[in-house]
């Protein structure tokens, strides 16, 4: 019988069910799994950014100890193996489609970035594979690299079918209206920003283990994926051309993703392909250097912004021209990220009558760039919140008050923006007020003066963001170029004893679904969370699901679970009515009990479950036995979390070090299921945003070598780089899902970078500094101070 | 090849391994104890922290042979018979973990930190955990966990 009570249901900061296995070292990550007879693959990767392959000599490597097989692009081509595909494309301004180049899983004739996969060396041990890889000789004809995004169009052409290195040329909004607004504006604010390139760096490196069963002619792939069914679909149908039903994809415990584990990568396809050729399990785990080189990177935009204000400082128009660096190949979401997930967010939380944007997606000889925590929305928020501060400064207004007067008023919802989205609900002033109170905005000037007395520059910076989660609906997405559906699935299986198994298409890699989803089901069914088991990540067990990204799991996956639970309750009510000889309509379900209204007749949830599986006294004329339901939920709209984040910094002019001294944020995520988990998501998101703004930067030199390819050179946020965060919430419940939830996974990473850079500029503004690029490293800040002081001295 | 023997979580273990076998590979592969993780190849992330003779060690930087005759404790070896180690319990209570990948190293480093400094300040914890990267939590709740763990270990 179900144990426990319902006090751990929706709204409780329940401690996580999944913690124990992680805390005791019993987590099961891909690299923890071994198979008898397994072989190891090591990849020989390109050392050049751009080159033709003249010859590959593998004889010495083949003769090396332990080597079982060596594969090159020729083997891949001979077997007709396809490459990873682009999951979403857009239509160009001129009506033509996105240029999609082929992406062979082992380079075929040309390499296009340092780290490109060239040869797979497979041996009995990893060390043997690595040693043999040293013996592979490749003759390259080196071609010109294309590294500088601003000049990528005039660089050496990377792909035959991508002229001017332009994958797409996208636009959104009304150009004439935006031009007219800017032409007649009382004030025009201009800004150019660079959204620095980031490397996701989930702490668990990517890994894969594939095995082939020749009796069933079937494969099993264990892989570090955020969406096992998509991996199965892409590898099965597009790469290996095998029936999907013959490929089982398992994403066991996954050590963080942040977007980087959405995509199918060549390595996992090579493992799967080779497992049949060699009839042995094949395993691969990236070392961190490979992760730096060959994981999908994030961001990397140049945005040119023009904003118009009327004489009362109300925004009248906005134009943004963006160059997005997409790297050497297109990934699953590389096209949608800087377009559909970016351009429609340009209205932010502001009333802007006219908006136009053009986005050009460029090919360069760098790792592919794809969705990374926030995906497109951080880039939109960064440019908008930077130009908001620039505008406020230009017209001499307090940045908080300038934002407030331009907010979409709360009585304007549903609000149709000029860039496609319709916000269902929101109220932007309360989070602004609350965050200002939390950080004592009013007292800031006193703190600035106090810091000045100590020789430090103190600054405060705001960011009021909106984001769009749970991409939807599928039909609209399809019309916009999506090649996948954007629903989520759930099967709820009640056992005869009343315990419940939930099979979800969402995937948890740190988000705590085992707990949050169990809370929802426990709450709805009036049973203890201990009676609810969440199953995810195995394509053989769960219904076809879309996985976890874009802060969609709760708003879409959770909503699917609620729908399935509702079906369970509907069926159970009929069974209860039959058992209690009452009319269906008279049966009420609450707190885990079915009662007949106006009587003391009642049946527990467990009793109904038992009756469904031991159907001796059962309404056979109306129902099938059993208690299991599946639901697919296709959302009606995006959800729109919003809020305000405020950063306070102190800068030491002698070193240029930016000390982040305080952080306050107030977010509106709609209803919260588990506030503790939500808060953790906010903390993690802010930390990644702080990383972007102060520390992290993926840098390729002019020859196309990745200079920041280890933790020595790529600066990750560490414990002593960050303060404690003050986090609070307001709630406007989402109007179109049953839970009233919006999603919280990316908000911190979206909101935080502009708050921080605005704070840095605010600190240095008294010196005359008006701009700062990310990351605001000590060197850059120090130089800005020096040149401002030199200018002042002139 | 070389024969390596030491006490692993209180049990004597011994195996013949290539001379250059790292302690972390000995633990994960030779001993199939996969709680200790590998997050980098430059000794920077701390996912691999174990205790050798009660001191925190990045097991990716130490040869298995160098542990000969010592006593090695991993994340699998710290829970008491009657439940979690106070530091594990504190991480659970304070939501000090998300994906769990950094967690074993983080907990092992935290235990050692508290042994050295039974009542660490927030700053001391932040500086003390500087060698352990977590990409998920933003460290806020890890710091809280270590503070709580220190209190519980003192009880
Ligand atoms: S694995 Fe990163 S420090 Fe040891
Ligand atoms: S919990 Fe995921 S890296 Fe720390």
């Amino acid at each position: 019988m179900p144990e426990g009570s319902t006090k751990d249901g929706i709204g409780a900061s329940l401690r996580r069910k999944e913690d124990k296995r992680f805390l005791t070292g019993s987590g099961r990550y891909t690299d923890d799994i071994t198979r008898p007879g397994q072989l190891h693959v090591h990849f020989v990767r390109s050392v050049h950014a751009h080159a033709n392959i003249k010859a590959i000599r593998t004889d010495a490597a083949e003769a090396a100890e332990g080597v079982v097989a060596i594969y090159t692009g020729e083997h891949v081509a001979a077997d007709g193996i396809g490459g990873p595909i682009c999951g979403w494309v857009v239509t160009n301004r001129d009506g033509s489609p996105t240029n999609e180049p082929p992406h062979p899983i082992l380079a075929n004739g040309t390499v296009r970035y340092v780290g490109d996969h060239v040869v797979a060396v497979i041996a009995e041990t990893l060390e043997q594979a690595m040693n043999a890889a040293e013996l592979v000789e490749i003759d390259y004809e080196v071609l010109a690299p294309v590294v500088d995004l601003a000049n990528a169009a005039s660089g050496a052409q990377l792909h035959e079918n991508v002229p001017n290195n332009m994958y797409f040329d996208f636009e959104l909004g009304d150009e004439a209206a935006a031009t007219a607004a800017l032409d007649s504006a009382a004030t025009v604010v201009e800004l150019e920003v660079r959204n620095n390139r980031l490397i996701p760096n989930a702490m668990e490196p990517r890994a894969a283990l594939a095995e082939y069963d020749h009796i069933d002619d079937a494969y099993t792939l264990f892989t570090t994926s955020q969406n096992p069914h998509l991996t199965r679909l892409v590898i099965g149908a597009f790469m290996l051309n095998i029936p999907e039903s013959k490929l089982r994809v398992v994403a066991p415990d996954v050590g963080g993703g942040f977007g980087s584990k959405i995509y199918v990568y060549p390595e996992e396809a090579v493992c799967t392909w080779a497992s049949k050729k060699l009839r042995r399990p094949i395993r691969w785990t990236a070392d961190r250097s490979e992760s730096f080189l060959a994981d999908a990177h994030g961001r990397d935009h140049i945005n040119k912004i023009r904003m118009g204000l009327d004489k009362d400082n109300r925004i009248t128009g906005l134009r943004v021209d963006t160059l997005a660096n997409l790297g050497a190949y297109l990934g699953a979401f590389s096209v949608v990220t800087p377009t559909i997930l970016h351009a429609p967010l340009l209205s932010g939380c502001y009333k802007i009558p006219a908006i136009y944007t053009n986005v050009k997606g460029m090919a360069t000889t760098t790792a592919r760039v794809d969705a990374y925590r926030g995906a497109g929305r951080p880039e939109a928020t960064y440019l908008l919140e930077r130009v908001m501060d620039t505008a406020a400064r230009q017209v001499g207004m307090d940045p908080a008050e300038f934002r407030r007067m331009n907010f979409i008023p709360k009585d304007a919802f549903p609000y149709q923006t000029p860039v496609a989205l319709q916000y269902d609900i929101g109220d932007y002033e309360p989070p602004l007020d609350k965050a200002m109170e939390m950080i004592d905005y009013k007292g800031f000037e006193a703190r600035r003066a106090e810091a000045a007395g100590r020789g430090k520059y103190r600054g405060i910076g705001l960011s009021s963001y909106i984001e769009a989660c749970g991409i939807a609906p599928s039909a609209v997405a399809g019309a916009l170029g999506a090649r996948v559906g954007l629903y989520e699935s759930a099967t709820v299986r009640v056992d005869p004893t009343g315990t419940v198994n939930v099979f979800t298409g969402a995937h948890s890699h740190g988000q705590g679904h085992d707990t949050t989803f169990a809370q929802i089901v426990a709450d709805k069914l009036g049973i203890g969370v201990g009676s609810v088991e969440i199953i995810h990540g195995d394509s053989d067990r769960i219904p076809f699901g879309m996985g976890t990204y874009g802060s969609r799991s709760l708003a879409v996956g959770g909503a699917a679970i609620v729908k399935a639970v509702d079906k369970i309750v509907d069926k159970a009510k009929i069974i209860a009515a039959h058992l209690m000889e009452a009319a269906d309509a008279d049966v009420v379900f609450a707190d885990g009990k079915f009662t007949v209204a106006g009587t003391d007749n009642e049946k527990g949830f467990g009793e109904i479950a038992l009756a469904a599986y031991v159907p001796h006294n059962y309404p056979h004329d109306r129902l099938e036995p059993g208690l299991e339901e599946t639901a697919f939920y296709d959302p009606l709209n995006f959800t729109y979390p919003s809020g305000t984040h405020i950063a306070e910094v102190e800068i030491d002019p002698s070193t240029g070090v930016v000390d982040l001294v305080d952080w306050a944020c107030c977010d509106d995520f709609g209803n919260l299921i588990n506030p503790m988990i939500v808060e953790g998501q906010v903390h993690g998101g802010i930390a990644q945003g702080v990383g972007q703004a102060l520390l992290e930067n993926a840098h390729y030199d002019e020859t196309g070598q990745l200079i920041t390819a280890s933790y020595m050179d790529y600066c990750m946020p560490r414990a002593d780089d960050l303060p404690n965060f003050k986090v609070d919430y307001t709630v406007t419940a989402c109007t179109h899902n049953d839970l009233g939830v919006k999603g919280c996974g990316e908000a911190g990473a979206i909101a935080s970078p502009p708050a921080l850079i605005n704070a840095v500029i605010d600190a240095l503004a008294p010196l005359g500094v008006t701009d700062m690029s990310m990351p605001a490293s000590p060197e850059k800040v120090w130089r800005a101070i020096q040149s401002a002081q030199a200018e002042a001295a002139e | 090849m070389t024969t390596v023997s030491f006490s692993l979580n209180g049990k004597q273990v011994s195996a013949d391994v290539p001379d250059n076998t790292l302690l972390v590979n000995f633990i994960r592969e030779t001993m199939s104890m996969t709680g200790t993780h590998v997050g980098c190849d430059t000794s920077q992330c701390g996912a691999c922290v174990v205790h050798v003779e009660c001191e925190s060690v990045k097991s990716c930087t130490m040869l298995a042979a160098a542990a000969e005759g010592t006593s090695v404790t991993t994340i699998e070896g710290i829970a008491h018979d009657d439940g979690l180690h106070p530091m594990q319990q504190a991480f659970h209570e304070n939501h000090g973990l998300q994906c769990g990948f950094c967690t074993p190293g983080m907990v092992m480093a935290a235990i050692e930190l508290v042994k050295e400094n039974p009542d660490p300040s927030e700053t001391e914890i932040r500086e003390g955990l500087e060698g352990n990267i977590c990409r998920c939590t933003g460290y806020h709740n890890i710091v809280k966990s270590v503070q709580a763990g220190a209190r519980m270990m003192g009880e």
Side-chain angles (χ1 to χ4, degrees), chain A residues 203, chain B residues 97-103 133-137:
Chain A
M203 289 316 297
Chain B
L97 65 153
Q98 291 184 22
C99 79
F101 197 79
C102 73
T103 309
I133 304 178
C134 173
R135 192 54 149 170
C136 297
T137 63

Side-chain angles (χ1 to χ4, degrees), chain A residues 78 100 261 300 404 480 509 570 578 590 600 613 622 639 682:
Chain A
E100 294 179 80
K261 293 171 181 168
D300 209 350
R404 187 191 304 280
L480 292 172
H509 31 278
D570 288 347
H578 175 87
D600 52 8
Y613 289 98
R622 301 178 60 198
T639 61
V682 174

